[in-house]
Coordinates of all heavy atoms in Angstrom, one line a residue:
T1 N -5.7 -4.8 -12.2 CA -4.7 -4.3 -13.1 C -4.1 -3.0 -12.5 O -4.9 -2.1 -12.2 CB -5.3 -4.0 -14.5 OG1 -5.9 -5.1 -15.0 CG2 -4.2 -3.5 -15.4
K2 N -2.8 -3.0 -12.3 CA -2.2 -1.8 -11.7 C -1.5 -1.0 -12.7 O -0.8 -1.6 -13.6 CB -1.1 -2.3 -10.6 CG -1.7 -3.1 -9.5 CD -0.6 -3.4 -8.5 CE -1.2 -4.2 -7.3 NZ -1.6 -5.5 -7.6
T3 N -1.7 0.3 -12.7 CA -1.0 1.2 -13.6 C 0.3 1.6 -13.0 O 0.4 2.3 -12.0 CB -1.8 2.4 -13.8 OG1 -3.1 2.0 -14.3 CG2 -1.2 3.3 -14.9
I4 N 1.4 1.1 -13.6 CA 2.7 1.3 -13.0 C 3.3 2.5 -13.7 O 3.5 2.6 -15.0 CB 3.7 0.1 -13.2 CG1 3.0 -1.1 -12.5 CG2 5.1 0.4 -12.7 CD1 3.8 -2.4 -12.8
T5 N 3.6 3.6 -13.0 CA 4.2 4.8 -13.5 C 5.7 4.7 -13.4 O 6.3 3.7 -13.0 CB 3.7 6.0 -12.8 OG1 4.1 5.9 -11.4 CG2 2.2 6.1 -12.8
E6 N 6.4 5.7 -13.8 CA 7.9 5.7 -13.8 C 8.4 5.6 -12.4 O 9.4 5.1 -12.1 CB 8.4 7.0 -14.5 CG 8.1 7.0 -16.0 CD 8.6 8.3 -16.6 OE1 9.2 9.1 -15.9 OE2 8.4 8.5 -17.8
N7 N 7.6 6.1 -11.4 CA 8.0 6.1 -10.0 C 7.7 4.8 -9.4 O 6.5 4.4 -9.2 CB 7.3 7.3 -9.3 CG 8.0 7.5 -7.9 OD1 8.6 6.6 -7.4 ND2 7.8 8.7 -7.4
F8 N 8.7 4.0 -9.0 CA 8.5 2.7 -8.4 C 7.8 2.7 -7.1 O 7.2 1.8 -6.6 CB 9.8 2.0 -8.3 CG 9.8 0.6 -7.8 CD1 9.3 -0.4 -8.6 CD2 10.1 0.3 -6.4 CE1 9.2 -1.7 -8.1 CE2 10.0 -0.9 -6.0 CZ 9.6 -2.0 -6.8
E9 N 7.8 3.9 -6.4 CA 7.2 4.0 -5.1 C 5.7 3.8 -5.1 O 5.1 3.5 -4.1 CB 7.5 5.4 -4.5 CG 8.9 5.7 -4.2 CD 9.4 4.9 -3.1 OE1 8.6 4.4 -2.3 OE2 10.6 4.8 -2.9
D10 N 5.0 3.8 -6.3 CA 3.6 3.6 -6.4 C 3.2 2.2 -5.8 O 2.1 2.1 -5.2 CB 3.1 3.7 -7.8 CG 3.1 5.2 -8.3 OD1 3.2 6.1 -7.5 OD2 3.0 5.4 -9.5
L11 N 4.0 1.2 -6.1 CA 3.7 -0.1 -5.7 C 3.7 -0.3 -4.1 O 3.1 -1.2 -3.6 CB 4.7 -1.1 -6.3 CG 4.7 -1.2 -7.8 CD1 5.8 -2.1 -8.3 CD2 3.3 -1.7 -8.3
R12 N 4.5 0.6 -3.5 CA 4.6 0.5 -2.0 C 3.2 0.8 -1.3 O 3.0 0.4 -0.2 CB 5.6 1.5 -1.5 CG 7.1 1.0 -1.8 CD 8.0 2.0 -1.1 NE 7.8 2.0 0.3 CZ 7.9 3.1 1.0 NH1 8.1 4.3 0.5 NH2 7.7 3.1 2.3
F13 N 2.4 1.6 -2.0 CA 1.2 2.1 -1.4 C -0.1 1.4 -1.9 O -1.2 1.9 -1.8 CB 1.1 3.6 -1.6 CG 2.2 4.3 -1.0 CD1 3.3 4.8 -1.8 CD2 2.3 4.5 0.4 CE1 4.4 5.4 -1.2 CE2 3.4 5.2 0.9 CZ 4.5 5.7 0.1
D14 N 0.1 0.2 -2.4 CA -1.1 -0.6 -2.7 C -1.8 -1.0 -1.5 O -1.2 -1.2 -0.4 CB -0.6 -1.9 -3.5 CG -1.8 -2.8 -3.9 OD1 -2.5 -2.3 -4.8 OD2 -2.0 -3.8 -3.3
I15 N -3.1 -1.2 -1.5 CA -3.9 -1.5 -0.3 C -3.4 -2.8 0.4 O -3.5 -2.9 1.6 CB -5.4 -1.7 -0.7 CG1 -6.3 -1.7 0.5 CG2 -5.6 -2.9 -1.6 CD1 -7.7 -1.6 0.2
S16 N -2.8 -3.7 -0.3 CA -2.3 -4.9 0.3 C -1.1 -4.7 1.2 O -0.8 -5.5 2.1 CB -1.9 -6.0 -0.7 OG -0.9 -5.4 -1.6
T17 N -0.4 -3.5 1.1 CA 0.7 -3.2 1.9 C 0.4 -2.5 3.2 O 1.2 -2.3 4.1 CB 1.7 -2.4 1.1 OG1 1.1 -1.1 0.8 CG2 2.2 -3.0 -0.2
F18 N -0.9 -2.2 3.4 CA -1.3 -1.5 4.6 C -1.6 -2.6 5.7 O -2.3 -3.6 5.4 CB -2.6 -0.7 4.4 CG -2.3 0.6 3.6 CD1 -1.8 0.6 2.3 CD2 -2.5 1.8 4.3 CE1 -1.6 1.8 1.6 CE2 -2.2 3.0 3.6 CZ -1.8 3.0 2.3
E19 N -1.1 -2.4 6.9 CA -1.3 -3.3 8.0 C -2.5 -2.9 8.8 O -2.7 -1.7 9.1 CB -0.1 -3.4 8.9 CG 1.1 -4.0 8.2 CD 2.3 -4.0 9.1 OE1 2.2 -3.7 10.3 OE2 3.4 -4.4 8.6
Y20 N -3.3 -3.9 9.3 CA -4.5 -3.5 10.1 C -4.2 -3.7 11.6 O -3.8 -4.8 12.0 CB -5.7 -4.4 9.6 CG -7.0 -4.1 10.4 CD1 -7.6 -2.9 10.4 CD2 -7.5 -5.2 11.2 CE1 -8.7 -2.7 11.1 CE2 -8.7 -4.9 11.9 CZ -9.3 -3.7 11.8 OH -10.5 -3.4 12.6
D21 N -4.6 -2.7 12.3 CA -4.5 -2.8 13.8 C -5.9 -3.1 14.3 O -6.7 -2.2 14.4 CB -3.9 -1.5 14.4 CG -3.7 -1.5 15.9 OD1 -4.1 -2.5 16.5 OD2 -3.2 -0.6 16.4
E22 N -6.1 -4.3 14.7 CA -7.5 -4.7 15.1 C -7.9 -4.1 16.4 O -9.0 -3.8 16.6 CB -7.5 -6.3 15.2 CG -8.9 -6.8 15.4 CD -9.0 -8.3 15.3 OE1 -7.9 -9.0 15.0 OE2 -10.0 -8.9 15.5
E23 N -6.9 -3.9 17.3 CA -7.2 -3.4 18.7 C -7.7 -1.9 18.5 O -8.7 -1.5 19.2 CB -6.0 -3.4 19.5 CG -6.2 -3.0 21.0 CD -5.0 -3.1 21.8 OE1 -4.0 -3.7 21.4 OE2 -5.0 -2.5 22.9
N24 N -7.1 -1.1 17.7 CA -7.5 0.3 17.6 C -8.4 0.6 16.4 O -8.8 1.7 16.1 CB -6.2 1.2 17.4 CG -5.4 1.1 18.7 OD1 -5.9 1.2 19.8 ND2 -4.1 1.0 18.5
D25 N -8.7 -0.5 15.6 CA -9.5 -0.4 14.4 C -9.0 0.7 13.4 O -9.6 1.7 13.1 CB -11.0 -0.1 14.7 CG -11.9 -0.3 13.5 OD1 -11.4 -0.9 12.5 OD2 -13.0 0.3 13.5

């Protein structure tokens, strides 16, 4: 459950939006 505040930018920083660089860990 995500708590959505008035600022829409919160959704951009969900853990699923972070990309993993396997080479540099």
Side-chain angles (χ1 to χ4, degrees):
T1 306
K2 299 182 178 71
T3 305
I4 302 175
T5 61
E6 293 178 1
N7 194 337
F8 182 75
E9 292 291 340
D10 288 347
L11 297 176
R12 286 185 60 220
F13 300 101
D14 182 73
I15 191 170
S16 60
T17 63
F18 285 65
E19 295 179 6
Y20 179 62
D21 183 354
E22 192 171 354
E23 186 178 345
N24 298 316
D25 190 19

